[in-house]
Amino acid sequence: MTTAVGLTVNGERRSAVVDNRTSLLDLLREHLGLPGTKKGCDQGACGACTVLVDGRRVNSCLTFAVMHDGARVTTIEGLASGGRLHPLQQAFIDHDGLQCGYCTPGQIVSAVACIAEGHTRSREEIREWMSGNLCRCGAYTNIVTAIEQTAKGG
């Protein structure tokens, strides 16, 4: 069975007819051509697929696209504005907050929500609220610093 799904993705109204079992992740990547959101574990454990749905972080591999008809979705591609990187994207660059880069989009999108939710009062709190993003590569302390700096407006 298929269903027509209409979403506002990164500020643009988009629609697709999808199998009812299609995940939001697969809709974004395969139907709408937005490859920035990564398919990691495909089981909701790694956070590489994190997007914002109506301003809240969601593991897009764990939710069906049809459940979000009419929603506002923001992916990593939608964070930059007017040809300028989002301050958090720039902070990741400035603090070398990436290593292989595979988890970076999910980390950044989740960090945008972490800041918006006000969970940045300490490095420990940032780590706790970012724990849904599994990558703990050599750049992880730099990721926390980038989030901390951006939350402080720097």
Side-chain angles (χ1 to χ4, degrees), residues 31-83:
H31 296 271
L32 302 183
L34 296 168
T37 304
K38 302 302 184 209
K39 184 179 278 199
C41 68
D42 210 21
Q43 298 176 356
C46 72
C49 67
T50 304
V51 298
L52 302 178
V53 176
D54 295 327
R56 299 188 60 162
R57 8 179 181 185
V58 170
N59 287 341
S60 61
C61 73
L62 288 183
T63 187
F64 295 116
V66 296
M67 296 170 61
H68 301 288
D69 188 42
R72 289 176 298 109
V73 176
T74 304
T75 69
I76 190 70
E77 291 95 343
L79 292 180
S81 178

Side-chain angles (χ1 to χ4, degrees), residues 25 29 35-42 46-50 76 92 97-108 133-135 137 139 143:
L25 172 62
R29 289 181 58 82
T37 304
K38 302 302 184 209
K39 184 179 278 199
C41 68
D42 210 21
C46 72
C49 67
T50 304
I76 190 70
F92 266 58
L98 42 100
Q99 196 161 1
C100 79
Y102 195 82
C103 73
T104 303
Q107 290 273 4
I108 291 173
N133 293 79
L134 205 54
C135 184
C137 66
I143 290 170

Side-chain angles (χ1 to χ4, degrees), residues 14-26:
R14 306 287 299 267
S15 61
V17 176
V18 296
D19 182 290
N20 289 348
R21 299 167 291 178
T22 301
S23 69
L24 179 57
L25 172 62
D26 289 339

